[in-house]
């Protein structure tokens, strides 16, 4: 993502864009505030949810038992809490408005899940889990090949590379 301002020198924008193309990436331009709002959802929220889950378990009186049965699934889900790119939470605090908006949205979804569990509504829980699974599959399947809005920034053949996606098998291979 490139977030130039109106004061950014055109040569710097062109240089950054060209560098991205040379390494097989595709420059994606957006406003810095839009960038921060989007990252609040896909980076900040996973870290906060992960931290809350980890603290819920470790602060529990039964943590000594929980820690004995917690395995790779728990380790994987709680990993974002330790992400050093969040700079100890300062990034989240500086982006407070967007983080709070996403937290409120998340709490709404969590209330729906809680209500379904409280009611023992297996059908609703299955629907929620199925929808989440489908959304994840669609995101992962589309991510490496979905065109970005800045079609002019696409590198021309023969240097065109597929977008690198560490979540998909064979990521980074020439397509």
């Amino acid at each position: 993502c490139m977030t130039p301002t109106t004061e950014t020198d055109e040569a710097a924008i062109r240089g950054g864009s060209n560098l991205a193309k040379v390494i097989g990436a595709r420059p994606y331009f957006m406003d810095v505030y839009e960038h921060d709002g989007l990252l609040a959802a896909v980076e900040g929220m996973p870290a906060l949810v992960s931290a809350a889950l980890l603290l819920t378990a470790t602060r529990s009186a039964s943590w000594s038992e929980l820690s004995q049965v917690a395995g790779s699934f728990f380790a994987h889900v709680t990993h974002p809490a330790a992400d050093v790119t969040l700079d100890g939470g300062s990034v989240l605090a500086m982006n407070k408005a967007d983080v709070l908006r996403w937290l409120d949205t998340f709490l709404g979804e969590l209330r729906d899940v809680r209500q379904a569990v409280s009611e023992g509504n297996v059908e609703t829980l299955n629907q929620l889990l199925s929808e989440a699974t489908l959304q994840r599959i669609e995101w992962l399947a589309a991510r490496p090949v979905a065109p970005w809005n800045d079609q002019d920034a696409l590198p021309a053949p023969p240097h065109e590379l597929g977008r690198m996606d560490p979540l998909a098998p064979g990521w980074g291979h020439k397509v």
Side-chain angles (χ1 to χ4, degrees):
C1 289
M2 297 180 65
T3 57
T5 66
T6 55
E7 291 82 33
T8 304
D9 185 281
E10 185 67 33
I13 295 171
R14 194 170 34 260
S17 180
N18 288 340
L19 175 62
K21 291 176 193 176
V22 165
I23 64 171
R26 193 178 319 163
Y28 188 67
F29 295 91
M30 67 175 59
D31 177 84
V32 67
Y33 298 108
E34 179 185 13
H35 174 268
D36 291 351
L38 297 175
L39 288 187
V42 297
E43 290 185 4
M45 285 299 299
L48 290 173
V49 171
S50 167
L53 176 62
L54 186 61
L55 292 173
T56 298
T58 60
R59 290 177 176 172
S60 166
S62 60
W63 174 240
S64 60
E65 291 83 14
L66 289 170
S67 67
Q68 298 301 308
V69 296
S72 61
F73 192 72
F74 186 76
H76 181 72
V77 170
T78 57
H79 179 74
D83 190 331
V84 295
T85 61
L86 294 174
D87 201 18
S90 64
V91 170
L92 300 168
M94 287 188 298
N95 195 10
K96 181 169 85 171
D98 286 313
V99 171
L100 288 173
R101 181 172 50 87
W102 286 111
L103 278 170
D104 290 341
T105 302
F106 174 73
L107 289 172
E109 293 291 334
L110 195 56
R111 275 191 292 278
D112 291 346
V113 170
R114 187 191 189 289
Q115 182 176 350
V117 170
S118 175
E119 295 170 353
N121 192 333
V122 175
E123 183 179 333
T124 298
L125 290 169
N126 285 339
Q127 287 173 347
L128 290 169
L129 292 169
S130 292
E131 180 182 350
T133 299
L134 180 61
Q135 292 293 335
R136 184 174 191 278
I137 289 169
E138 288 177 1
W139 165 64
L140 289 173
R143 193 165 176 255
V145 296
W148 290 14
N149 295 329
D150 56 349
Q151 294 298 317
D152 292 337
L154 290 172
H159 305 289
E160 186 170 348
L161 297 174
R163 285 181 48 203
M164 293 172 51
D165 182 0
L167 299 176
W171 68 276
H173 292 236
K174 193 168 185 172
V175 179

